[in-house]
Amino acid sequence: MVTVTIVKIGYIGTTTLIDAILDERSARADIKIRVISSSVQMGEADAEDAAKIAAGVPSDLYVAISPNVGLPGPAKVREILKKTGKPIIVIGDEPSRKAVKSFPEEGIGYIVIYGDPMISAKAPFLDPVEMALFNADVIRVLAVTGVFRLVHTTLDKVIEEIKAGQKPVLPELIINKTAALAASDIKNPYAYAKAMAAYEASKEVASLSTEGVFKLEERSEAMPVLAAAHELMRMAAKLADEAREIEKANDTAVRLAHFKKGDLRRRVKLFEEPEK
Amino acid sequence: MVTVTIVKIGYIGTTTLIDAILDERSARADIKIRVISSSVQMGEADAEDAAKIAAGVPSDLYVAISPNVGLPGPAKVREILKKTGKPIIVIGDEPSRKAVKSFPEEGIGYIVIYGDPMISAKAPFLDPVEMALFNADVIRVLAVTGVFRLVHTTLDKVIEEIKAGQKPVLPELIINKTAALAASDIKNPYAYAKAMAAYEASKEVASLSTEGVFKLEERSEAMPVLAAAHELMRMAAKLADEAREIEKANDTAVRLAHFKKGDLRRRVKLFEEPEK
Amino acid sequence: MVTVTIVKIGYIGTTTLIDAILDERSARADIKIRVISSSVQMGEADAEDAAKIAAGVPSDLYVAISPNVGLPGPAKVREILKKTGKPIIVIGDEPSRKAVKSFPEEGIGYIVIYGDPMISAKAPFLDPVEMALFNADVIRVLAVTGVFRLVHTTLDKVIEEIKAGQKPVLPELIINKTAALAASDIKNPYAYAKAMAAYEASKEVASLSTEGVFKLEERSEAMPVLAAAHELMRMAAKLADEAREIEKANDTAVRLAHFKKGDLRRRVKLFEEPEK
Amino acid sequence: MVTVTIVKIGYIGTTTLIDAILDERSARADIKIRVISSSVQMGEADAEDAAKIAAGVPSDLYVAISPNVGLPGPAKVREILKKTGKPIIVIGDEPSRKAVKSFPEEGIGYIVIYGDPMISAKAPFLDPVEMALFNADVIRVLAVTGVFRLVHTTLDKVIEEIKAGQKPVLPELIINKTAALAASDIKNPYAYAKAMAAYEASKEVASLSTEGVFKLEERSEAMPVLAAAHELMRMAAKLADEAREIEKANDTAVRLAHFKKGDLRRRVKLFEEPEK
Amino acid sequence: MVTVTIVKIGYIGTTTLIDAILDERSARADIKIRVISSSVQMGEADAEDAAKIAAGVPSDLYVAISPNVGLPGPAKVREILKKTGKPIIVIGDEPSRKAVKSFPEEGIGYIVIYGDPMISAKAPFLDPVEMALFNADVIRVLAVTGVFRLVHTTLDKVIEEIKAGQKPVLPELIINKTAALAASDIKNPYAYAKAMAAYEASKEVASLSTEGVFKLEERSEAMPVLAAAHELMRMAAKLADEAREIEKANDTAVRLAHFKKGDLRRRVKLFEEPEK
Amino acid sequence: MVTVTIVKIGYIGTTTLIDAILDERSARADIKIRVISSSVQMGEADAEDAAKIAAGVPSDLYVAISPNVGLPGPAKVREILKKTGKPIIVIGDEPSRKAVKSFPEEGIGYIVIYGDPMISAKAPFLDPVEMALFNADVIRVLAVTGVFRLVHTTLDKVIEEIKAGQKPVLPELIINKTAALAASDIKNPYAYAKAMAAYEASKEVASLSTEGVFKLEERSEAMPVLAAAHELMRMAAKLADEAREIEKANDTAVRLAHFKKGDLRRRVKLFEEPEK
């Protein structure tokens, strides 16, 4: 039994389901998952607080997920978790790509997801409903384009190594469009291209939201850009959906599910017997 | 400063963003949120473990969210949290409606969400990708139809009472289609009807997933029903999207956002000044 | 030559084309069809009137179709037709399921169609245009999901028995989602699931229309529910269309057509030779 | 009380609901409707048979509907009905336009509907499912573009005259795109144009189906044209749906419903009080 | 090296890309293309002016493209180009079909494209944006339905003959729906039917635009018809898109590309090696 | 009368209709347009050839349009046209932005269009059909997002100045998302945001096509990226279409049309009188 403790500081799209993708049916008997989160708050004090609780949970593996892992809050989490001496994997969005460069020498693994964009978090635009809709779109893109597959199989591998009593090899993984799609198991070439386009559109969303949130001070200038970011995200989700529907129409939508002992079984044709 | 500690045991759709909808831009200075979760695992031991950690966090309000709150795991959470003497609000899906009847006399508040359906959690069908797509669809329906609005304003109100030093009046809230839509702020009558239809379709999903998971033993019988549940969910999300797009086309998509002191500001026309 | 006389009392979706599905190209030389209808009127006097005309038409088989066959009007039809001594098959919607239980002992066959829902027949909502649109959606769902196939092959079989001089075995058929889909000849599993979801959504429409028509007296409460019923029906039709389009894209849309002697020929690939 | 007896010989799209559009909620106490039909069969003997039954029903008004009213079957119907001395209104599709020219001098009224196209009734293509789907599409176009509105208000007017004891003025009505749309009550100009385009596309369907059924003998040549006719029809229905959805989004979808005494009440805004 | 000089007088949809479809990647070393155009202006003087410039360009082949090639402007172009003694191919829309009848005896080749309809060129409707959108729709239909394929392979063949030092056989080609689709290389029968329906709808657009531009003088009568023409065109483009998407979903979208020496290479499966 | 001579060297999306947007109905009597083009070929010799022909046409204004205006071919065009002493305006895509910096000091005006992306011009992917479809999508985005409006009004202004006998002020215009949308006249804020998202997606297409064409040498790596570029372009066009449809549904789709004397008249409500 491996205990995986996940520390969530603030939100990226992957935060919503990062633990659930490890055991989608709650069927596994080989792992125990605990999640400690400071919710949307990313300040150093909040992060420290959550990390300390997490450090108090006897764990075999820590996963810390947040936006931009180079910020003080997420850094504090790593500082505290490192004291446990347990393996740590950090997951972040594209702005995290600079900070992670030094992680290997600290013995920390990382996964950086380029297609998990910042939300248009500015006062006159974002409310809970708009925020939720944005996340629904992001989740769809991450699910279809291979990101969630690549994240869970990467974590699955580390967990297997821990189960086997080995010192795990921690990931150093940048999920750009090539890496994501390679994990997507999409068979039709046009569906593959659609999913790749969705991933790039999703990545481009961050350019717009960043501009709208940080660069444009005039509300009248910022608002169209903030809204355009979310429209582009909705479009990306639609494109991902188109890709998935093609795979379904061809009965080639691959399923790779977790079973009791943590083993993964792969199946393609929906109404036929599972393969291992 | 009010500390809200959320205990998540297993997953319903609302679980993914329950804390984020209280402070969508991470802008509030009046609350602190902590989340402790046993992730997908709902067993009594897992629930107890998470609840004990949560009970150790000094809190002004506890929110416990899980599928069917009548199960032993969620019950254990309440048992432990009650010892803190702090107010407790329980959030669950439709199967929870029986168990909550006794909550008022225990001094526990509740929110039961009819349109947050069980997933088709059966081995040959569900994998992490399918699970994530289902949640994306559920989130869309809950966001558009008024559920998230009703949940956060209900919690906001309790938090306000605590901030004011009052003994909070805990909610006893069943979110059926009427309650949800009344909170949705949808102006166009056809958009309103589309959203209501989406909510009912979402509720109907649970009939199919329950049948597929618990009643049909033959894989060949269960598979179409499991898949039909998710197709119906996807359709419900599309219908919710249609409703939202109509409101956007009429520039009547209401936004009700949290500001620094926890105050909510309402705005309708996107490019015009916020109203309070 | 077999004469089939169809008595239509009031309207369900199937009423519109029940006779046409027996001879879609008007190519058969083995049957003669006559239809007598009291149109939308279902009162006892109207039903009696129509039934008496029908009883005066020399027939080998009577088919009586109406909403809720347990109502006095449809009951009167059966009473009158029984006096002819000819075989009778009654077709009705879901509320008919109680009344038909006693039919076998009366020697009457039946077909009950769960996915043929009541319309939102309330004054401030329904007009001829809205009524027609609802029927267009219902027809699409019934056509794609296998209902029309199952109904016509069931009647075809009885007609064949009569042609062969046998005493026909009258159907005792409940068309729930399983029965409908089994007759649908849909090959792609996701198209199958979509069609099943459409059927269930269509069935759920009746819950909404019934609530809106009979349970909600306040116009302000009833109107959204009445409109939601029709929006759900439109959505169900779209889902059925998605299923059909997948089958067409895979060139697996099965055709089973009537020929001169009432024989059915089956073909799959559109541009290739018919099979028998 | 006016008795309207409708004789249906063969099928055009309007046949399916011609009687239902006179009393969509079965609410009228001022009329009685009877329908006698030879179903899909249009031969002279079948038509005569049905007409004789109809002539035996004491009626104040006869409506005879069929494809191409110039064919011998429909002509026989008129011959028989004329002997009753009662007013007769004939309804047909575009090929009927020649035959109706002589109707006024015979004292027979007529309604010719250009947008109600022939189906692709050829053996290797049409089966009951395809036939039903085609009709669903036709009904949608006829409902949205104003045809059903124009047909029922035209018949309503004649019925009112009979109720008032007047000799009714029988219609001489060609429903081309201009006449249809003028009756459609569509407010948005682009929705109006979309509906008009749908009507013209629907009219063009007949060119294709006629070519496929009558002019192309080689199956390999006919099949694409037959299928193209139905694809064009499906597209026309989608365009009509787009038009309707715009009107709904603007809350300008007019409803004109029949009430108890046959009076029509008009309402526009869905959630507001009916107007007369 | 063959020099092809294209004279464009006024615009049909094909005008926009007629030269580009001969060398889509600018990869050919065997031809040189020059284009001389009087833009939208079709008057005799403008046409003469452009033709004279073109006649001054040493060319091996002339292609003259315009609306209705029977008008004086296009006729003047032919008159001038004929003096060069070089082969001439004229391309026009459907109204050109009369004028081209005499071309063979004049030694002029022709291509008449039925599915390239006139735009709704009337003052209160058409502006540059509407004009561009119409052309986008027309281009989609011409590309998918086989027209562009048939045009470029027809011209490719003539160019090959000239390269080979032969006297080229000039085309006498009417591109009706049969000819277009035969060149489309669409494999799925329903996609084929959809594309054919798109082509016919596109042809029907011209009936509407012609009526709106030339026959209806009252602005209030003309406007809906002008707008309906463009709505029908948009619908035709959507249908063409549906056809293309099916071919992509089946990975059967054929590509036939020009290479350096003007040779065409054909490939079907997108991610696999090109075939010749 | 002003003569505008347009030199087209190679293709960007705007090339297809650059002249037509100046006189969409061929109604102007104040200008004469001539177009000289080397078609897809951009080499120095081809460009020189076309430019020399153009220089021989007596003109009041030259417009030179091509991809990347910094390449030798387009540079040669400017060199030759400058000798005429007439005003020159250069139009190019985003890669042109460096070269144009020196234009003002040379007395040359420029328009650089960021949202007119390079096509995926690589052998195994692009054929004439794919090329045409890409252009259809680009045209739609340029038309809806304000680019075509901004280009023609910019040229219109220069033409007016020449007509007035003034020395024209030549444009120095970069069309980024802000500039484009400001010219779009889109009224609904969400439609505005959708159009902006479409523009940015279109701009992002160039990143993908550039990567696929120039950076990825392995066919297996390049193909998905090339195809993704076109899928993103198709999605951008869909988003632009969504924006346009909203404006149409609100009857706010602005039309700004050219009349006889080159004057522009603006109208908004489709069925109402034109405004000036």
Side-chain angles (χ1 to χ4, degrees), chain A residues 157-176:
Chain A
K157 195 158 160 289
V158 172
I159 292 167
E160 282 306 304
E161 290 167 352
I162 293 173
K163 276 166 62 179
Q166 301 164 8
K167 181 174 155 59
V169 180
L170 298 181
E172 301 173 10
L173 177 61
I174 300 290
I175 305 188
N176 57 17

Side-chain angles (χ1 to χ4, degrees), chain E residues 11-29:
Chain E
Y11 265 88
I12 60 175
T14 306
T15 305
T16 56
L17 295 169
I18 177 64
D19 47 302
I21 61 177
L22 293 177
D23 188 11
E24 66 281 359
R25 280 182 303 123
S26 190
R28 297 177 70 165

